[in-house]
Amino acid sequence: MSAVSDRLPTFPWDKLEPYKKTAAAHPGGIVDLSVGTPVDPVPDLVQKALIDAADSPGYPTVWGTVALRDAITGWAERRLGAREVTHRHVLPVVGSKELVAWLPTQLGLGPGDRVAYPRLAYPTYEVGARLARAEYEVYDDPIELDPAGLKLLWLNSPSNPTGQVLSKDELTRIVAWARSHGILVFSDECYLELGWEADPVSVLHPDVNGGSYDGIVAVHSLSKRSNLAGYRAAFLAGDPAVLAPLLEIRKHGGMMTPAPTQAAVVAALGDDTHVREQRERYRARRALLREALVNHGFRIEHSEASLYLWATRDESCWSTVAHLADLGILVAPGDFYGTAGETFVRVALTATDERVRAAVERLA
């Protein structure tokens, strides 16, 4: 077991514990803007669907119910502009993090194979490569990568942590380049519903992929859009030639989304009203926090989408973390996401209205 764990970096969030204790000691209590976990209620219609499906004594299937696959294909066409999406084009997964962590292994990658991801990125992209013993590297522009041995290219738009959005033209250029070199593209689009100053586009859109899903897969999650982080609900959509073997592997591995969660996902994907309502909550919190941070001396970069503000005072991120912890505010240090983030912090919008107001008052 140690041979596996030895491949992994130190779990980053453990480093934040001393600052969490400092922030928690504030007389007004902690305002936790670090992890980005949803705090608002699960929509009533989703809770009802979960409860109605609670009597599920049998094993669920890895591919999900017909109703679930119908919900995913319908949503992809309605929301992403995808065309001719069939059940073969979709695959439910048990939350997106397990998919990211185990994808290189499930794709059969190993020593000598290369995985690439953005210079500032979700740490689990690297973890997945490490678990598979594959090589990994970061990029600013993926088409500048050496394509030799590059087997998996991660895109992330809108970005975690920066909130940067790749334009339709950029996505089109990257997909064409990857296809020309036989490189598989996985596009992490978990924040696509949360565009503020940009309108994020999926790689599944025909303007990007030319009407073909060859060599591309999009990753989507209901954790943020529907407050379902506790349900572990996500799915893939894209190339059937990639998804079919993943389905077989996941059948053998027993990677099944629980039946009540499947029913909840059907309800969530079929309703756009709760998504609009949740967006407005985040929009209001974002406006308050952004103004307060700027007035406090921060500069905000990118942040045109997603659930975070990418902020800097042009100092070590840990100095900024300590400064804010003294105010009872906990944020994530930018170097969790790569060395390029060493002077930034990631400020999550996922706190209650009352806690956001508390943070604004302290920053003032």
Side-chain angles (χ1 to χ4, degrees), residues 39-86:
V39 297
D40 298 302
V42 174
D44 289 341
L45 83 163
V46 177
Q47 292 190 49
K48 183 178 185 303
L50 184 86
I51 293 167
D52 289 347
D55 186 14
S56 298
Y59 290 112
T61 65
V62 172
W63 202 17
T65 62
V66 170
L68 175 59
R69 283 176 264 144
D70 282 344
I72 295 172
T73 58
W75 181 84
E77 293 190 348
R78 185 180 80 250
R79 180 62 185 88
L80 305 181
R83 296 289 180 267
E84 299 180 0
V85 183
T86 71

mmCIF file of all heavy atoms in Angstrom, residues 39-86:
data_model
loop_
_atom_site.group_PDB
_atom_site.id
_atom_site.type_symbol
_atom_site.label_atom_id
_atom_site.label_comp_id
_atom_site.label_asym_id
_atom_site.label_seq_id
_atom_site.Cartn_x
_atom_site.Cartn_y
_atom_site.Cartn_z
ATOM 1 N N VAL A 39 -23.326 25.371 0.180
ATOM 2 C CA VAL A 39 -23.926 25.548 1.509
ATOM 3 C C VAL A 39 -25.430 25.781 1.425
ATOM 4 O O VAL A 39 -26.109 25.763 2.461
ATOM 5 C CB VAL A 39 -23.274 26.735 2.262
ATOM 6 C CG1 VAL A 39 -21.806 26.471 2.514
ATOM 7 C CG2 VAL A 39 -23.467 28.048 1.501
ATOM 8 N N ASP A 40 -25.950 25.995 0.238
ATOM 9 C CA ASP A 40 -27.378 26.265 0.083
ATOM 10 C C ASP A 40 -28.146 24.944 -0.015
ATOM 11 O O ASP A 40 -27.588 23.908 -0.347
ATOM 12 C CB ASP A 40 -27.613 27.120 -1.155
ATOM 13 C CG ASP A 40 -26.926 28.470 -1.035
ATOM 14 O OD1 ASP A 40 -27.218 29.193 -0.077
ATOM 15 O OD2 ASP A 40 -26.077 28.780 -1.899
ATOM 16 N N PRO A 41 -29.458 24.978 0.260
ATOM 17 C CA PRO A 41 -30.231 23.726 0.296
ATOM 18 C C PRO A 41 -30.276 23.011 -1.055
ATOM 19 O O PRO A 41 -30.250 23.642 -2.119
ATOM 20 C CB PRO A 41 -31.634 24.198 0.705
ATOM 21 C CG PRO A 41 -31.446 25.529 1.338
ATOM 22 C CD PRO A 41 -30.274 26.142 0.651
ATOM 23 N N VAL A 42 -30.362 21.691 -0.981
ATOM 24 C CA VAL A 42 -30.651 20.904 -2.169
ATOM 25 C C VAL A 42 -32.077 21.252 -2.612
ATOM 26 O O VAL A 42 -32.986 21.314 -1.781
ATOM 27 C CB VAL A 42 -30.548 19.394 -1.864
ATOM 28 C CG1 VAL A 42 -31.005 18.566 -3.061
ATOM 29 C CG2 VAL A 42 -29.116 19.033 -1.474
ATOM 30 N N PRO A 43 -32.305 21.526 -3.892
ATOM 31 C CA PRO A 43 -33.651 21.891 -4.348
ATOM 32 C C PRO A 43 -34.709 20.878 -3.919
ATOM 33 O O PRO A 43 -34.460 19.656 -3.921
ATOM 34 C CB PRO A 43 -33.502 21.934 -5.870
ATOM 35 C CG PRO A 43 -32.055 22.235 -6.094
ATOM 36 C CD PRO A 43 -31.321 21.548 -4.993
ATOM 37 N N ASP A 44 -35.880 21.372 -3.576
ATOM 38 C CA ASP A 44 -36.946 20.505 -3.069
ATOM 39 C C ASP A 44 -37.292 19.384 -4.032
ATOM 40 O O ASP A 44 -37.507 18.238 -3.620
ATOM 41 C CB ASP A 44 -38.204 21.340 -2.771
ATOM 42 C CG ASP A 44 -38.039 22.228 -1.553
ATOM 43 O OD1 ASP A 44 -37.123 21.951 -0.743
ATOM 44 O OD2 ASP A 44 -38.823 23.184 -1.400
ATOM 45 N N LEU A 45 -37.372 19.696 -5.334
ATOM 46 C CA LEU A 45 -37.777 18.647 -6.278
ATOM 47 C C LEU A 45 -36.737 17.538 -6.363
ATOM 48 O O LEU A 45 -37.079 16.368 -6.629
ATOM 49 C CB LEU A 45 -38.052 19.241 -7.661
ATOM 50 C CG LEU A 45 -36.882 19.496 -8.616
ATOM 51 C CD1 LEU A 45 -37.416 19.676 -10.029
ATOM 52 C CD2 LEU A 45 -36.064 20.694 -8.200
ATOM 53 N N VAL A 46 -35.462 17.892 -6.115
ATOM 54 C CA VAL A 46 -34.399 16.885 -6.123
ATOM 55 C C VAL A 46 -34.481 16.029 -4.864
ATOM 56 O O VAL A 46 -34.357 14.793 -4.917
ATOM 57 C CB VAL A 46 -33.024 17.562 -6.245
ATOM 58 C CG1 VAL A 46 -31.911 16.520 -6.190
ATOM 59 C CG2 VAL A 46 -32.929 18.363 -7.532
ATOM 60 N N GLN A 47 -34.707 16.669 -3.723
ATOM 61 C CA GLN A 47 -34.873 15.910 -2.482
ATOM 62 C C GLN A 47 -36.051 14.943 -2.592
ATOM 63 O O GLN A 47 -35.978 13.797 -2.143
ATOM 64 C CB GLN A 47 -35.095 16.856 -1.309
ATOM 65 C CG GLN A 47 -33.891 17.708 -0.946
ATOM 66 C CD GLN A 47 -34.096 18.432 0.372
ATOM 67 O OE1 GLN A 47 -34.484 17.831 1.369
ATOM 68 N NE2 GLN A 47 -33.825 19.735 0.382
ATOM 69 N N LYS A 48 -37.144 15.412 -3.187
ATOM 70 C CA LYS A 48 -38.322 14.562 -3.318
ATOM 71 C C LYS A 48 -38.026 13.352 -4.204
ATOM 72 O O LYS A 48 -38.433 12.221 -3.898
ATOM 73 C CB LYS A 48 -39.489 15.352 -3.906
ATOM 74 C CG LYS A 48 -40.789 14.551 -4.007
ATOM 75 C CD LYS A 48 -41.920 15.397 -4.558
ATOM 76 C CE LYS A 48 -43.241 14.615 -4.524
ATOM 77 N NZ LYS A 48 -43.170 13.329 -5.259
ATOM 78 N N ALA A 49 -37.299 13.577 -5.293
ATOM 79 C CA ALA A 49 -36.956 12.467 -6.183
ATOM 80 C C ALA A 49 -36.089 11.451 -5.459
ATOM 81 O O ALA A 49 -36.260 10.224 -5.630
ATOM 82 C CB ALA A 49 -36.243 13.002 -7.425
ATOM 83 N N LEU A 50 -35.155 11.935 -4.646
ATOM 84 C CA LEU A 50 -34.284 11.043 -3.877
ATOM 85 C C LEU A 50 -35.109 10.213 -2.889
ATOM 86 O O LEU A 50 -34.940 8.995 -2.771
ATOM 87 C CB LEU A 50 -33.231 11.854 -3.127
ATOM 88 C CG LEU A 50 -32.192 11.031 -2.364
ATOM 89 C CD1 LEU A 50 -31.052 10.637 -3.289
ATOM 90 C CD2 LEU A 50 -31.636 11.807 -1.180
ATOM 91 N N ILE A 51 -36.010 10.879 -2.174
ATOM 92 C CA ILE A 51 -36.840 10.194 -1.181
ATOM 93 C C ILE A 51 -37.756 9.166 -1.847
ATOM 94 O O ILE A 51 -37.902 8.031 -1.372
ATOM 95 C CB ILE A 51 -37.663 11.220 -0.380
ATOM 96 C CG1 ILE A 51 -36.725 12.070 0.482
ATOM 97 C CG2 ILE A 51 -38.714 10.528 0.495
ATOM 98 C CD1 ILE A 51 -37.375 13.304 1.069
ATOM 99 N N ASP A 52 -38.347 9.560 -2.968
ATOM 100 C CA ASP A 52 -39.251 8.651 -3.669
ATOM 101 C C ASP A 52 -38.532 7.396 -4.153
ATOM 102 O O ASP A 52 -39.154 6.336 -4.334
ATOM 103 C CB ASP A 52 -39.908 9.352 -4.858
ATOM 104 C CG ASP A 52 -40.929 10.394 -4.431
ATOM 105 O OD1 ASP A 52 -41.314 10.402 -3.242
ATOM 106 O OD2 ASP A 52 -41.336 11.214 -5.283
ATOM 107 N N ALA A 53 -37.223 7.509 -4.368
ATOM 108 C CA ALA A 53 -36.434 6.363 -4.842
ATOM 109 C C ALA A 53 -35.682 5.670 -3.705
ATOM 110 O O ALA A 53 -34.835 4.804 -3.966
ATOM 111 C CB ALA A 53 -35.451 6.826 -5.912
ATOM 112 N N ALA A 54 -35.996 6.029 -2.459
ATOM 113 C CA ALA A 54 -35.248 5.495 -1.320
ATOM 114 C C ALA A 54 -35.401 3.982 -1.175
ATOM 115 O O ALA A 54 -34.485 3.299 -0.708
ATOM 116 C CB ALA A 54 -35.683 6.195 -0.026
ATOM 117 N N ASP A 55 -36.545 3.442 -1.582
ATOM 118 C CA ASP A 55 -36.753 1.995 -1.504
ATOM 119 C C ASP A 55 -36.158 1.347 -2.748
ATOM 120 O O ASP A 55 -36.848 0.977 -3.691
ATOM 121 C CB ASP A 55 -38.253 1.693 -1.391
ATOM 122 C CG ASP A 55 -38.518 0.205 -1.156
ATOM 123 O OD1 ASP A 55 -37.551 -0.523 -0.825
ATOM 124 O OD2 ASP A 55 -39.674 -0.229 -1.316
ATOM 125 N N SER A 56 -34.816 1.237 -2.738
ATOM 126 C CA SER A 56 -34.076 0.699 -3.889
ATOM 127 C C SER A 56 -33.183 -0.443 -3.415
ATOM 128 O O SER A 56 -31.960 -0.283 -3.273
ATOM 129 C CB SER A 56 -33.235 1.800 -4.543
ATOM 130 O OG SER A 56 -34.040 2.838 -5.047
ATOM 131 N N PRO A 57 -33.770 -1.616 -3.147
ATOM 132 C CA PRO A 57 -32.987 -2.702 -2.552
ATOM 133 C C PRO A 57 -32.029 -3.386 -3.521
ATOM 134 O O PRO A 57 -31.068 -4.023 -3.090
ATOM 135 C CB PRO A 57 -34.070 -3.684 -2.081
ATOM 136 C CG PRO A 57 -35.232 -3.434 -2.989
ATOM 137 C CD PRO A 57 -35.199 -1.962 -3.284
ATOM 138 N N GLY A 58 -32.268 -3.267 -4.815
ATOM 139 C CA GLY A 58 -31.417 -3.960 -5.773
ATOM 140 C C GLY A 58 -30.197 -3.150 -6.181
ATOM 141 O O GLY A 58 -30.111 -1.948 -5.938
ATOM 142 N N TYR A 59 -29.262 -3.827 -6.821
ATOM 143 C CA TYR A 59 -28.070 -3.134 -7.313
ATOM 144 C C TYR A 59 -28.435 -2.196 -8.459
ATOM 145 O O TYR A 59 -29.178 -2.578 -9.362
ATOM 146 C CB TYR A 59 -27.032 -4.132 -7.821
ATOM 147 C CG TYR A 59 -26.367 -4.943 -6.741
ATOM 148 C CD1 TYR A 59 -26.598 -6.311 -6.648
ATOM 149 C CD2 TYR A 59 -25.503 -4.343 -5.836
ATOM 150 C CE1 TYR A 59 -25.983 -7.069 -5.665
ATOM 151 C CE2 TYR A 59 -24.884 -5.095 -4.846
ATOM 152 C CZ TYR A 59 -25.124 -6.455 -4.760
ATOM 153 O OH TYR A 59 -24.525 -7.197 -3.785
ATOM 154 N N PRO A 60 -27.891 -0.990 -8.464
ATOM 155 C CA PRO A 60 -28.048 -0.123 -9.639
ATOM 156 C C PRO A 60 -27.095 -0.571 -10.735
ATOM 157 O O PRO A 60 -26.167 -1.346 -10.479
ATOM 158 C CB PRO A 60 -27.664 1.259 -9.103
ATOM 159 C CG PRO A 60 -26.657 0.958 -8.028
ATOM 160 C CD PRO A 60 -27.090 -0.342 -7.399
ATOM 161 N N THR A 61 -27.303 -0.088 -11.942
ATOM 162 C CA THR A 61 -26.367 -0.397 -13.020
ATOM 163 C C THR A 61 -25.377 0.739 -13.190
ATOM 164 O O THR A 61 -25.674 1.895 -12.902
ATOM 165 C CB THR A 61 -27.101 -0.631 -14.352
ATOM 166 O OG1 THR A 61 -27.728 0.594 -14.751
ATOM 167 C CG2 THR A 61 -28.147 -1.725 -14.208
ATOM 168 N N VAL A 62 -24.203 0.397 -13.664
ATOM 169 C CA VAL A 62 -23.160 1.406 -13.873
ATOM 170 C C VAL A 62 -23.580 2.397 -14.951
ATOM 171 O O VAL A 62 -23.311 3.600 -14.843
ATOM 172 C CB VAL A 62 -21.832 0.717 -14.245
ATOM 173 C CG1 VAL A 62 -20.786 1.751 -14.661
ATOM 174 C CG2 VAL A 62 -21.321 -0.109 -13.068
ATOM 175 N N TRP A 63 -24.232 1.904 -15.999
ATOM 176 C CA TRP A 63 -24.654 2.770 -17.106
ATOM 177 C C TRP A 63 -25.858 3.620 -16.723
ATOM 178 O O TRP A 63 -26.198 4.575 -17.415
ATOM 179 C CB TRP A 63 -24.967 1.911 -18.329
ATOM 180 C CG TRP A 63 -24.891 2.645 -19.632
ATOM 181 C CD1 TRP A 63 -24.290 3.850 -19.886
ATOM 182 C CD2 TRP A 63 -25.431 2.205 -20.890
ATOM 183 N NE1 TRP A 63 -24.421 4.196 -21.201
ATOM 184 C CE2 TRP A 63 -25.108 3.199 -21.841
ATOM 185 C CE3 TRP A 63 -26.137 1.075 -21.294
ATOM 186 C CZ2 TRP A 63 -25.489 3.081 -23.186
ATOM 187 C CZ3 TRP A 63 -26.502 0.958 -22.628
ATOM 188 C CH2 TRP A 63 -26.181 1.946 -23.559
ATOM 189 N N GLY A 64 -26.535 3.275 -15.619
ATOM 190 C CA GLY A 64 -27.665 4.059 -15.163
ATOM 191 C C GLY A 64 -28.966 3.630 -15.809
ATOM 192 O O GLY A 64 -28.996 2.857 -16.770
ATOM 193 N N THR A 65 -30.048 4.142 -15.290
ATOM 194 C CA THR A 65 -31.368 3.838 -15.830
ATOM 195 C C THR A 65 -31.554 4.503 -17.193
ATOM 196 O O THR A 65 -30.845 5.455 -17.549
ATOM 197 C CB THR A 65 -32.466 4.347 -14.887
ATOM 198 O OG1 THR A 65 -32.364 5.779 -14.787
ATOM 199 C CG2 THR A 65 -32.336 3.733 -13.500
ATOM 200 N N VAL A 66 -32.532 4.011 -17.917
ATOM 201 C CA VAL A 66 -32.880 4.637 -19.197
ATOM 202 C C VAL A 66 -33.288 6.089 -18.964
ATOM 203 O O VAL A 66 -32.917 6.997 -19.738
ATOM 204 C CB VAL A 66 -34.011 3.851 -19.889
ATOM 205 C CG1 VAL A 66 -34.544 4.620 -21.096
ATOM 206 C CG2 VAL A 66 -33.528 2.468 -20.312
ATOM 207 N N ALA A 67 -34.030 6.327 -17.877
ATOM 208 C CA ALA A 67 -34.452 7.697 -17.569
ATOM 209 C C ALA A 67 -33.259 8.609 -17.327
ATOM 210 O O ALA A 67 -33.256 9.779 -17.741
ATOM 211 C CB ALA A 67 -35.371 7.692 -16.343
ATOM 212 N N LEU A 68 -32.230 8.087 -16.670
ATOM 213 C CA LEU A 68 -31.034 8.895 -16.411
ATOM 214 C C LEU A 68 -30.312 9.217 -17.718
ATOM 215 O O LEU A 68 -29.926 10.365 -17.965
ATOM 216 C CB LEU A 68 -30.096 8.156 -15.459
ATOM 217 C CG LEU A 68 -28.752 8.834 -15.189
ATOM 218 C CD1 LEU A 68 -28.945 10.228 -14.591
ATOM 219 C CD2 LEU A 68 -27.890 7.977 -14.262
ATOM 220 N N ARG A 69 -30.153 8.215 -18.569
ATOM 221 C CA ARG A 69 -29.464 8.468 -19.837
ATOM 222 C C ARG A 69 -30.263 9.421 -20.715
ATOM 223 O O ARG A 69 -29.689 10.280 -21.393
ATOM 224 C CB ARG A 69 -29.191 7.141 -20.546
ATOM 225 C CG ARG A 69 -28.016 6.381 -19.942
ATOM 226 C CD ARG A 69 -27.822 5.034 -20.603
ATOM 227 N NE ARG A 69 -28.469 3.972 -19.840
ATOM 228 C CZ ARG A 69 -29.064 2.910 -20.395
ATOM 229 N NH1 ARG A 69 -29.134 2.798 -21.707
ATOM 230 N NH2 ARG A 69 -29.603 1.981 -19.633
ATOM 231 N N ASP A 70 -31.584 9.291 -20.688
ATOM 232 C CA ASP A 70 -32.420 10.239 -21.422
ATOM 233 C C ASP A 70 -32.236 11.660 -20.891
ATOM 234 O O ASP A 70 -32.174 12.628 -21.664
ATOM 235 C CB ASP A 70 -33.901 9.850 -21.298
ATOM 236 C CG ASP A 70 -34.292 8.701 -22.208
ATOM 237 O OD1 ASP A 70 -33.532 8.397 -23.146
ATOM 238 O OD2 ASP A 70 -35.368 8.106 -21.971
ATOM 239 N N ALA A 71 -32.160 11.786 -19.567
ATOM 240 C CA ALA A 71 -31.994 13.108 -18.954
ATOM 241 C C ALA A 71 -30.663 13.733 -19.353
ATOM 242 O O ALA A 71 -30.586 14.937 -19.641
ATOM 243 C CB ALA A 71 -32.103 13.001 -17.436
ATOM 244 N N ILE A 72 -29.603 12.928 -19.377
ATOM 245 C CA ILE A 72 -28.281 13.453 -19.731
ATOM 246 C C ILE A 72 -28.234 13.859 -21.202
ATOM 247 O O ILE A 72 -27.754 14.950 -21.546
ATOM 248 C CB ILE A 72 -27.184 12.415 -19.425
ATOM 249 C CG1 ILE A 72 -27.103 12.151 -17.910
ATOM 250 C CG2 ILE A 72 -25.827 12.900 -19.945
ATOM 251 C CD1 ILE A 72 -26.185 10.992 -17.546
ATOM 252 N N THR A 73 -28.743 12.987 -22.087
ATOM 253 C CA THR A 73 -28.702 13.326 -23.505
ATOM 254 C C THR A 73 -29.562 14.558 -23.793
ATOM 255 O O THR A 73 -29.164 15.434 -24.570
ATOM 256 C CB THR A 73 -29.176 12.148 -24.371
ATOM 257 O OG1 THR A 73 -30.505 11.772 -23.980
ATOM 258 C CG2 THR A 73 -28.248 10.956 -24.219
ATOM 259 N N GLY A 74 -30.727 14.637 -23.163
ATOM 260 C CA GLY A 74 -31.596 15.800 -23.373
ATOM 261 C C GLY A 74 -30.973 17.081 -22.887
ATOM 262 O O GLY A 74 -31.057 18.127 -23.551
ATOM 263 N N TRP A 75 -30.321 17.023 -21.730
ATOM 264 C CA TRP A 75 -29.670 18.215 -21.176
ATOM 265 C C TRP A 75 -28.497 18.653 -22.065
ATOM 266 O O TRP A 75 -28.312 19.850 -22.309
ATOM 267 C CB TRP A 75 -29.186 17.932 -19.760
ATOM 268 C CG TRP A 75 -28.526 19.107 -19.120
ATOM 269 C CD1 TRP A 75 -29.111 20.138 -18.467
ATOM 270 C CD2 TRP A 75 -27.106 19.382 -19.110
ATOM 271 N NE1 TRP A 75 -28.167 21.040 -18.027
ATOM 272 C CE2 TRP A 75 -26.924 20.603 -18.416
ATOM 273 C CE3 TRP A 75 -25.979 18.722 -19.611
ATOM 274 C CZ2 TRP A 75 -25.670 21.168 -18.217
ATOM 275 C CZ3 TRP A 75 -24.731 19.283 -19.409
ATOM 276 C CH2 TRP A 75 -24.591 20.491 -18.722
ATOM 277 N N ALA A 76 -27.723 17.689 -22.533
ATOM 278 C CA ALA A 76 -26.565 18.028 -23.371
ATOM 279 C C ALA A 76 -27.008 18.737 -24.650
ATOM 280 O O ALA A 76 -26.360 19.682 -25.111
ATOM 281 C CB ALA A 76 -25.761 16.771 -23.704
ATOM 282 N N GLU A 77 -28.107 18.311 -25.203
ATOM 283 C CA GLU A 77 -28.599 18.958 -26.425
ATOM 284 C C GLU A 77 -29.218 20.321 -26.113
ATOM 285 O O GLU A 77 -28.986 21.295 -26.831
ATOM 286 C CB GLU A 77 -29.597 18.043 -27.127
ATOM 287 C CG GLU A 77 -28.956 16.780 -27.675
ATOM 288 C CD GLU A 77 -29.874 15.985 -28.577
ATOM 289 O OE1 GLU A 77 -31.082 16.280 -28.615
ATOM 290 O OE2 GLU A 77 -29.372 15.056 -29.263
ATOM 291 N N ARG A 78 -29.976 20.387 -25.033
ATOM 292 C CA ARG A 78 -30.669 21.640 -24.680
ATOM 293 C C ARG A 78 -29.706 22.704 -24.177
ATOM 294 O O ARG A 78 -29.768 23.860 -24.580
ATOM 295 C CB ARG A 78 -31.726 21.343 -23.615
ATOM 296 C CG ARG A 78 -32.588 22.538 -23.243
ATOM 297 C CD ARG A 78 -33.619 22.185 -22.182
ATOM 298 N NE ARG A 78 -33.080 22.164 -20.833
ATOM 299 C CZ ARG A 78 -32.906 21.078 -20.105
ATOM 300 N NH1 ARG A 78 -33.224 19.880 -20.610
ATOM 301 N NH2 ARG A 78 -32.412 21.144 -18.879
ATOM 302 N N ARG A 79 -28.804 22.310 -23.306
ATOM 303 C CA ARG A 79 -27.945 23.296 -22.643
ATOM 304 C C ARG A 79 -26.616 23.519 -23.357
ATOM 305 O O ARG A 79 -26.099 24.637 -23.374
ATOM 306 C CB ARG A 79 -27.684 22.858 -21.193
ATOM 307 C CG ARG A 79 -26.790 23.799 -20.396
ATOM 308 C CD ARG A 79 -27.418 25.182 -20.271
ATOM 309 N NE ARG A 79 -26.502 26.123 -19.615
ATOM 310 C CZ ARG A 79 -25.603 26.843 -20.246
ATOM 311 N NH1 ARG A 79 -25.450 26.727 -21.572
ATOM 312 N NH2 ARG A 79 -24.837 27.695 -19.580
ATOM 313 N N LEU A 80 -26.050 22.482 -23.935
ATOM 314 C CA LEU A 80 -24.714 22.599 -24.537
ATOM 315 C C LEU A 80 -24.748 22.796 -26.040
ATOM 316 O O LEU A 80 -23.721 23.081 -26.647
ATOM 317 C CB LEU A 80 -23.875 21.357 -24.209
ATOM 318 C CG LEU A 80 -23.729 20.992 -22.728
ATOM 319 C CD1 LEU A 80 -22.841 19.763 -22.577
ATOM 320 C CD2 LEU A 80 -23.177 22.166 -21.915
ATOM 321 N N GLY A 81 -25.923 22.613 -26.641
ATOM 322 C CA GLY A 81 -26.014 22.730 -28.090
ATOM 323 C C GLY A 81 -25.486 21.523 -28.821
ATOM 324 O O GLY A 81 -25.260 21.576 -30.042
ATOM 325 N N ALA A 82 -25.272 20.408 -28.107
ATOM 326 C CA ALA A 82 -24.794 19.185 -28.744
ATOM 327 C C ALA A 82 -25.884 18.630 -29.668
ATOM 328 O O ALA A 82 -27.070 18.903 -29.484
ATOM 329 C CB ALA A 82 -24.412 18.160 -27.683
ATOM 330 N N ARG A 83 -25.461 17.836 -30.647
ATOM 331 C CA ARG A 83 -26.406 17.291 -31.617
ATOM 332 C C ARG A 83 -26.279 15.772 -31.682
ATOM 333 O O ARG A 83 -25.186 15.219 -31.589
ATOM 334 C CB ARG A 83 -26.143 17.882 -33.012
ATOM 335 C CG ARG A 83 -26.379 19.387 -33.090
ATOM 336 C CD ARG A 83 -27.869 19.725 -32.996
ATOM 337 N NE ARG A 83 -28.112 21.159 -33.069
ATOM 338 C CZ ARG A 83 -28.207 21.959 -32.004
ATOM 339 N NH1 ARG A 83 -28.073 21.453 -30.789
ATOM 340 N NH2 ARG A 83 -28.433 23.252 -32.148
ATOM 341 N N GLU A 84 -27.433 15.122 -31.838
ATOM 342 C CA GLU A 84 -27.490 13.669 -32.045
ATOM 343 C C GLU A 84 -26.728 12.915 -30.952
ATOM 344 O O GLU A 84 -25.921 12.020 -31.227
ATOM 345 C CB GLU A 84 -26.942 13.310 -33.428
ATOM 346 C CG GLU A 84 -27.758 13.947 -34.557
ATOM 347 C CD GLU A 84 -27.213 13.594 -35.934
ATOM 348 O OE1 GLU A 84 -26.216 12.855 -36.018
ATOM 349 O OE2 GLU A 84 -27.790 14.075 -36.919
ATOM 350 N N VAL A 85 -27.020 13.281 -29.697
ATOM 351 C CA VAL A 85 -26.421 12.589 -28.555
ATOM 352 C C VAL A 85 -27.300 11.391 -28.211
ATOM 353 O O VAL A 85 -28.486 11.543 -27.926
ATOM 354 C CB VAL A 85 -26.304 13.529 -27.335
ATOM 355 C CG1 VAL A 85 -25.612 12.812 -26.189
ATOM 356 C CG2 VAL A 85 -25.542 14.792 -27.707
ATOM 357 N N THR A 86 -26.727 10.198 -28.238
ATOM 358 C CA THR A 86 -27.461 8.978 -27.915
ATOM 359 C C THR A 86 -26.970 8.419 -26.583
ATOM 360 O O THR A 86 -26.021 8.949 -25.978
ATOM 361 C CB THR A 86 -27.257 7.914 -29.005
ATOM 362 O OG1 THR A 86 -25.910 7.413 -28.924
ATOM 363 C CG2 THR A 86 -27.492 8.510 -30.393
#
